[in-house]
Amino acid sequence: MWHDARALNATASALTALVALACIASGVWWLSQRPMFSLRAVRVESMYGLDLQHVNELTVRNSVLGKIKGNFFTSDLEQVRSTFEAVPWVRKASVRREWPNQLIVQVEEHEALGTWGEDGRLLSVKGDAFTANLAEADEDHELPAFDGPPGSEKEVLARFAELRGLFAPVRLVPVSLSLSKRYAWTVRLDNGMSVELGRELGKDGMKARVQRLVSIYPQLVARLQEGRIDTIDMRYPNGLALSSAALNVPLDASKPVKAAKKKAPTKTTKQT
């Protein structure tokens, strides 16, 4: 009998505890649904304390607020984060609750370096291709143009930075860089010259070709004098090919090269 009474008391205690927990849960749920916990505000701010350049706080907040479901307690922060990261110019977002009815969203903006491909996308300084208003990106200066196979964005960005340093001794600046589907490189410079660098065979294959071009570039310019080089093909192992509307190659190789003002583009190969 004593054991039966003890078992009944234990069961009664357990039931009492369950009822109490159910009441507490019901009370918490009821309290969480009160109007005071409805989301009243979503504050948007920069993740690193910098001024937001392209993300308009008011516009973004108003456009996203209607997509947020739930209140202070029940809103899905991961869903809110994803919603903000879908906004143009937003690279990354983090969300936290602020008592009693506010969400704080910190965003990191993309910083555009140039255009990517032919579908109107941009390439950020961190190598991310993203979609935004191109007119907002080139307000101060024309952006460099980049292109390459899907997934090559960071590689193209790294090569662009390398080429800027390699062409610096002859005061030329890359304004366009593309990587073909066959992984061949082509760079266009600020003087209008296009350089075919080909596929990168070996660790420093492309670097060696550019250094070879830079070493003889002053001589090429001096020979052409008033003429501009249109294209240079550096894919030859021991030389190069160039084309220029001002290039006139004499029949007698001992005579100096003279510029022809109205001459169809011609190609020649220079052995180095």
Side-chain angles (χ1 to χ4, degrees):
M1 293 292 292
W2 182 80
H3 291 290
D4 291 340
R6 185 176 181 182
L8 288 173
N9 289 334
T11 301
S13 298
L15 289 173
T16 301
L18 288 174
V19 171
L21 288 174
C23 290
I24 293 173
S26 177
V28 170
W29 180 86
W30 178 86
L31 182 64
S32 68
Q33 301 304 310
R34 296 305 86 201
M36 66 176 295
F37 296 117
S38 298
L39 289 176
R40 302 291 184 184
V42 176
R43 192 168 80 231
V44 181
E45 56 188 35
S46 173
M47 187 172 291
Y48 304 113
L50 304 174
D51 292 335
L52 295 174
Q53 301 297 319
H54 300 288
V55 176
N56 184 286
E57 179 182 352
L58 180 61
T59 302
V60 170
R61 184 177 64 238
N62 291 341
S63 64
V64 172
L65 193 57
K67 301 176 182 179
I68 300 176
K69 299 179 180 179
N71 60 18
F72 179 80
F73 292 103
T74 62
S75 57
D76 185 344
L77 297 189
E78 184 63 20
Q79 182 265 333
V80 176
R81 182 191 64 78
S82 299
T83 301
F84 271 91
E85 289 184 350
V87 173
W89 289 104
V90 175
R91 179 177 185 267
K92 186 169 60 176
S94 65
V95 186
R96 73 175 189 273
R97 295 181 173 91
E98 186 169 281
W99 182 267
N101 52 19
Q102 185 173 213
L103 294 181
I104 307 298
V105 181
Q106 292 185 318
V107 300
E108 177 188 350
E109 285 185 306
H110 285 293
E111 184 180 347
L113 175 64
T115 61
W116 179 261
E118 299 178 354
D119 56 358
R121 289 189 296 167
L122 294 164
L123 184 68
S124 76
V125 295
K126 294 188 177 180
D128 300 318
F130 65 100
T131 302
N133 188 346
L134 294 178
E136 296 178 358
D138 57 1
E139 294 176 347
D140 299 328
H141 59 278
E142 185 177 354
L143 297 175
F146 303 98
D147 197 8
S152 66
E153 293 88 351
K154 288 181 171 56
E155 182 180 3
V156 172
L157 179 63
R159 288 291 173 268
F160 181 73
E162 181 181 7
L163 288 171
R164 286 178 64 92
L166 291 174
F167 279 106
V170 288
R171 297 183 180 181
L172 293 175
V173 180
V175 296
S176 173
L177 180 62
S178 63
L179 180 63
S180 72
K181 293 180 180 179
R182 295 177 58 84
Y183 285 84
W185 296 94
T186 301
V187 60
R188 185 168 60 86
L189 304 168
D190 61 342
N191 65 347
M193 184 173 68
S194 179
V195 182
E196 295 283 350
L197 295 171
R199 302 178 68 180
E200 190 164 3
L201 303 177
K203 183 179 179 182
D204 297 319
M206 186 177 72
K207 180 179 179 181
R209 294 189 188 106
V210 176
Q211 289 176 330
R212 181 156 50 90
L213 171 58
V214 168
S215 67
I216 63 171
Y217 180 75
Q219 302 174 41
L220 296 176
V221 173
R223 280 178 172 268
L224 287 175
Q225 297 178 354
E226 298 180 2
R228 190 190 77 178
I229 301 174
D230 298 312
T231 65
I232 293 184
D233 191 340
M234 296 300 299
R235 292 174 294 181
Y236 297 89
N238 297 308
L240 60 86
L242 65 84
S243 67
S244 172
L247 185 62
N248 182 17
V249 181
L251 296 177
D252 186 352
S254 63
K255 294 181 179 180
V257 177
K258 296 182 179 180
K261 294 184 179 179
K262 296 182 180 180
K263 187 73 175 179
T266 312
K267 289 188 176 182
T268 186
T269 301
K270 178 180 177 61
Q271 298 296 322
T272 58

